[in-house]
Amino acid sequence: QQQVKQSPQSLIVQKGGISIINCAYENTAFDYFPWYQQFPGKGPALLIAIRPDVSEKKEGRFTISFNKSAKQFSLHIMDSQPGDSATYFCAAGGSNYKLTFGKGTLLTVNP
Amino acid sequence: GAVVSQHPSRVICKSGTSVKIECRSLDFQATTMFWYRQFPKKSLMLMATSNEGSKATYEQGVEKDKFLINHASLTLSTLTVTSAHPEDSSFYICSATGTSYGYTFGSGTRLTVV
């Protein structure tokens, strides 16, 4: 019930393309859904987060789409750039403040 | 924005010695701090949750006597890896959250036990 399933495991996109990463959760008590970007040897950095009272949130080139009934959420990276190449983690949190992480997606954006 | 400083970024120690990793919230009071371990190309594994002034809560399978966590103030938590062995080599990451709902991560510590 605490799992967060993330796909794909890896993704290769051409520069300028759209990168899409999907996550699904099981625990309906989760009420906070962040996405993190991690570069090698660094800690995760918050990209964007959403709460279940909205279906979409956009910040610059990053958009979260949230489907409460399906218990799914996704990250869209528009106009992907080589500098976006990193590992992306979705996560889900509940009122006890613990975050449950997906297994990560290694994104490679080719020039 | 909220900043969490983690130190050291890299440490190499001899087997059998202890290593302390510090995690500081620089511009907010961290009521709760989390310690994670991350293996290469893997996700973050939560080790323990600590609240200021309380004993840490460890996740199942994490040895509390090996990974000592202290959260003595609202801005500082420490993780001490005691009697380190090569299998403890890993990337350790802390995160902190304050009164607002959000998590800020430190930059991580690469521990190598030789």
Side-chain angles (χ1 to χ4, degrees), chain A residues 57-92:
Chain A
K57 183 175 181 180
K58 183 177 181 180
E59 290 184 0
R61 295 185 294 111
F62 303 96
T63 299
I64 295 181
S65 296
F66 185 80
N67 186 329
K68 188 175 181 178
S69 60
K71 292 187 283 187
Q72 295 175 347
F73 59 110
S74 61
L75 174 69
H76 295 232
I77 305 175
M78 312 298 287
D79 187 26
S80 299
Q81 299 297 311
D84 297 330
S85 297
T87 299
Y88 292 80
F89 292 97
C90 64

Side-chain angles (χ1 to χ4, degrees), chain B:
Chain B
V3 178
V4 171
S5 174
Q6 186 172 342
H7 180 80
S9 57
R10 291 178 180 268
V11 58
I12 301 173
C13 71
K14 291 184 177 181
S15 186
T17 62
S18 296
V19 173
K20 180 184 284 189
I21 302 169
E22 291 189 350
C23 181
R24 294 181 183 272
S25 57
L26 298 186
D27 51 2
F28 68 101
Q29 293 187 327
T31 52
T32 305
M33 286 189 172
F34 305 88
W35 287 94
Y36 296 85
R37 183 173 181 176
Q38 186 177 33
F39 292 102
K41 298 185 179 181
K42 296 293 184 183
S43 189
L44 286 77
M45 182 187 77
L46 180 65
M47 298 174 65
T49 303
S50 71
N51 294 297
E52 183 262 338
S54 303
K55 287 186 177 180
T57 301
Y58 291 81
E59 295 299 303
Q60 191 173 10
V62 177
E63 299 177 61
K64 60 181 181 181
D65 293 331
K66 166 166 278 293
F67 300 101
L68 299 180
I69 291 171
N70 184 280
H71 191 166
S73 76
L74 284 171
T75 59
L76 174 65
S77 177
T78 60
L79 167 68
T80 301
V81 183
T82 62
S83 186
H85 291 283
E87 57 265 31
D88 299 324
S89 297
S90 192
F91 192 54
Y92 294 88
I93 310 170
C94 69
S95 75
T97 186
T99 54
S100 62
Y101 207 129
Y103 304 79
T104 303
F105 283 82
S107 56
T109 298
R110 171 73 59 196
L111 170 64
T112 303
V113 185
V114 297

Side-chain angles (χ1 to χ4, degrees), chain A:
Chain A
Q1 289 187 345
Q2 296 296 323
Q3 279 189 327
V4 176
K5 295 182 180 179
Q6 182 172 346
S7 63
Q9 201 170 8
S10 62
L11 180 62
I12 300 174
V13 174
Q14 291 299 117
K15 179 182 175 181
I18 302 173
S19 304
I20 301 174
I21 305 170
N22 301 298
C23 281
Y25 63 98
E26 298 172 1
N27 190 340
T28 54
F30 289 147
D31 62 359
Y32 176 68
F33 303 91
W35 284 91
Y36 290 90
Q37 178 188 59
Q38 186 179 30
F39 292 104
K42 300 294 183 183
L46 178 66
L47 265 181
I48 187 171
I50 198 169
R51 292 194 180 274
D53 52 347
V54 296
S55 60
E56 186 175 282
K57 183 175 181 180
K58 183 177 181 180
E59 290 184 0
R61 295 185 294 111
F62 303 96
T63 299
I64 295 181
S65 296
F66 185 80
N67 186 329
K68 188 175 181 178
S69 60
K71 292 187 283 187
Q72 295 175 347
F73 59 110
S74 61
L75 174 69
H76 295 232
I77 305 175
M78 312 298 287
D79 187 26
S80 299
Q81 299 297 311
D84 297 330
S85 297
T87 299
Y88 292 80
F89 292 97
C90 64
S95 58
N96 65 359
Y97 289 95
K98 277 189 196 180
L99 278 182
T100 299
F101 282 85
K103 292 191 174 182
T105 297
L106 178 62
L107 172 64
T108 303
V109 181
N110 288 328

